[in-house]
Amino acid sequence: MNVIVSNKYQAMLETLDIDIIKSLNGEYEVDEIVKSFSNFYFQRMILDITAIKDYKDIKNLQKLSISLDMNKVILLLDDSPESTSAEFLSKLISMGIYNFTKNAEGIMYLYNSPNSYRDVAHLQQLEVEVPVPQAQGGTEVIHTTSGARILGIKSMTKEGGATTLAYLMKKELENNYTVAAIEVDKRDFIFFNTKELISTTSNEIGNVIAKNNEYEVLIVDINGSKSAEALCHSVIYLVEPSTIKLNRMMMISSRVLSDLRDKRIVLTKSLLNSTDVSEFEYESGLKVFYNLPPLDDRVSGNPDVNKLLIRLGFDRQQVSE
């Protein structure tokens, strides 16, 4: 129940002792790979990075990470300086790509024991530029390294539920991770009366992230803050698929649907079934990352929040059950 997409390393991949139900060999556009496998069930995909056309352009890998379940993909890297650099690996991790290696032994190890974020977090040392206002009115830029995974949540439709989802994600993760949640330019967290919920402003978000870099995970309720969005390693965009909320969103910005393409869209407060979701994708031109029903914030161990966290790359066994 496995698939192989190969190019330069075809001979190596042919030696793997795994069952193959489909294989492609050659160089392909990302869209071709997605079209071939987005609706195709497989246990694992072994993907030779040289099979991706223009793979050194990180945007192509980002498109791949949005369209496929990267928990099932093992990426075979080549020996080029670009694709094995610390910066490149860090960007892979930011996109939720945790299973990568350079040899057949590594492929078999990851096949049997896939990585979670915790396994590769030490490779992600992102430099964050933190603007600090000075008394004279100038701005000093401090470079700091954050070891936390920074996950952003942004509501695209009015009252999309980003604050509640940030709280619930923190609640599910905190039994196995050190985690804090941050809201920007609002103070709604005070109503939850819980520790590790931080309210700040767009001007201070860089400082707050720097001061809390000891956490393994930081969940950021972005609201409308562009500076907060830029500091996140990955962002999910919440869209409530009701007619009134969608029409209001598009009235505010006629470009919103085109701006959301190739982003991780989570339908929120959604009562859509799988057929409805497919129709939504067709009509909007968007790819749905996850379909999230209405949530009860008084319940622990929420299965839908857990499934979303696993879909985002958190270890299945490290998410609260």
Side-chain angles (χ1 to χ4, degrees), residues 277-286:
V277 170
S278 296
E279 291 179 358
F280 173 86
E281 291 180 324
Y282 176 78
E283 292 172 359
S284 65
L286 302 177

Side-chain angles (χ1 to χ4, degrees), residues 198-267:
I198 303 165
S199 299
T200 189
T201 65
S202 291
N203 290 336
E204 288 295 319
I205 181 61
N207 287 332
V208 170
I209 287 177
K211 290 176 182 177
N212 290 278
N213 64 2
E214 75 277 6
Y215 287 97
E216 292 176 287
V217 183
L218 294 175
I219 300 172
V220 181
D221 178 6
I222 292 170
N223 290 305
S225 173
K226 291 183 179 180
S227 55
E229 187 172 0
L231 290 172
C232 294
H233 299 154
S234 58
V235 179
I236 58 174
Y237 296 83
L238 305 186
V239 174
E240 184 179 341
S242 66
T243 300
I244 188 170
K245 293 295 179 69
L246 289 173
N247 286 344
R248 184 181 188 279
M249 178 182 72
M250 289 185 286
M251 186 176 293
I252 294 172
S253 172
S254 60
R255 288 180 45 85
V256 65
L257 292 182
S258 59
D259 290 342
L260 285 173
R261 287 192 176 95
D262 296 329
K263 297 188 183 297
R264 289 182 171 178
I265 307 301
V266 173
L267 299 185

Side-chain angles (χ1 to χ4, degrees), residues 2 20 27 54 70 79 92 104 133 136 145 147 151 178 201 205 212 220 236-237 263 266 285 289 299 306 308 311:
N2 305 290
I20 305 299
E27 187 179 58
D54 297 327
M70 299 311 294
D79 291 320
L92 291 183
Q136 293 80 7
T145 299
L151 171 64
T178 58
T201 65
I205 181 61
N212 290 278
V220 181
I236 58 174
Y237 296 83
K263 297 188 183 297
V266 173
F289 182 76
V299 175
N306 289 340
L308 174 57
R311 182 80 172 84

Side-chain angles (χ1 to χ4, degrees), residues 5 9 19 34 38 40 51 80 83 87 105 120 123 147-148 151 153-157 159 190 236 249 259 282 292 310:
V5 183
Y9 298 105
D19 294 327
V34 170
S38 59
F40 187 90
S80 67
S83 64
E87 180 183 5
E105 293 76 13
V120 294
L123 298 174
L151 171 64
I153 308 174
K154 184 174 182 178
S155 290
M156 300 306 300
T157 50
E159 299 174 346
I190 61 174
I236 58 174
M249 178 182 72
D259 290 342
Y282 176 78
L292 192 65
I310 292 167

Side-chain angles (χ1 to χ4, degrees), residues 56-268:
K56 293 178 183 178
D57 183 348
I58 202 70
K59 292 180 181 178
N60 287 318
L61 293 174
Q62 183 179 39
K63 186 185 296 186
L64 190 76
S65 73
I66 292 169
S67 303
L68 296 179
D69 183 354
M70 299 311 294
N71 291 320
K72 295 182 178 180
V73 177
I74 299 173
L75 188 63
L76 178 62
L77 303 176
D78 66 352
D79 291 320
S80 67
E82 295 88 351
S83 64
T84 55
S85 68
E87 180 183 5
F88 187 87
L89 297 182
S90 184
K91 288 179 179 178
L92 291 183
I93 296 165
S94 295
M95 293 184 288
I97 302 174
Y98 307 143
N99 295 296
F100 45 82
T101 184
K102 293 175 61 179
N103 54 55
E105 293 76 13
I107 291 173
M108 293 310 302
Y109 176 82
L110 293 172
Y111 181 86
N112 294 302
S113 304
N115 283 336
S116 67
Y117 175 72
R118 180 168 290 188
D119 296 312
V120 294
H122 65 285
L123 298 174
Q124 189 178 35
Q125 297 295 321
L126 299 184
E127 194 175 63
V128 179
E129 289 190 349
V130 182
V132 182
Q134 294 177 308
Q136 293 80 7
T139 299
E140 175 188 2
V141 176
I142 297 176
H143 293 272
T144 182
T145 299
S146 174
R149 176 182 179 180
I150 308 171
L151 171 64
I153 308 174
K154 184 174 182 178
S155 290
M156 300 306 300
T157 50
K158 185 176 175 60
E159 299 174 346
T163 304
T164 297
L165 182 58
Y167 164 73
L168 290 175
M169 283 181 161
K170 173 189 172 296
K171 191 175 179 181
E172 300 305 325
L173 290 171
E174 61 189 358
N175 290 331
N176 296 295
Y177 294 86
T178 58
V179 54
I182 304 168
E183 64 173 345
V184 186
D185 295 333
K186 286 192 176 181
R187 296 189 59 81
D188 293 333
F189 275 168
I190 61 174
F191 300 114
F192 288 116
N193 193 29
T194 302
K195 295 179 179 180
E196 285 84 38
L197 295 179
I198 303 165
S199 299
T200 189
T201 65
S202 291
N203 290 336
E204 288 295 319
I205 181 61
N207 287 332
V208 170
I209 287 177
K211 290 176 182 177
N212 290 278
N213 64 2
E214 75 277 6
Y215 287 97
E216 292 176 287
V217 183
L218 294 175
I219 300 172
V220 181
D221 178 6
I222 292 170
N223 290 305
S225 173
K226 291 183 179 180
S227 55
E229 187 172 0
L231 290 172
C232 294
H233 299 154
S234 58
V235 179
I236 58 174
Y237 296 83
L238 305 186
V239 174
E240 184 179 341
S242 66
T243 300
I244 188 170
K245 293 295 179 69
L246 289 173
N247 286 344
R248 184 181 188 279
M249 178 182 72
M250 289 185 286
M251 186 176 293
I252 294 172
S253 172
S254 60
R255 288 180 45 85
V256 65
L257 292 182
S258 59
D259 290 342
L260 285 173
R261 287 192 176 95
D262 296 329
K263 297 188 183 297
R264 289 182 171 178
I265 307 301
V266 173
L267 299 185
T268 183

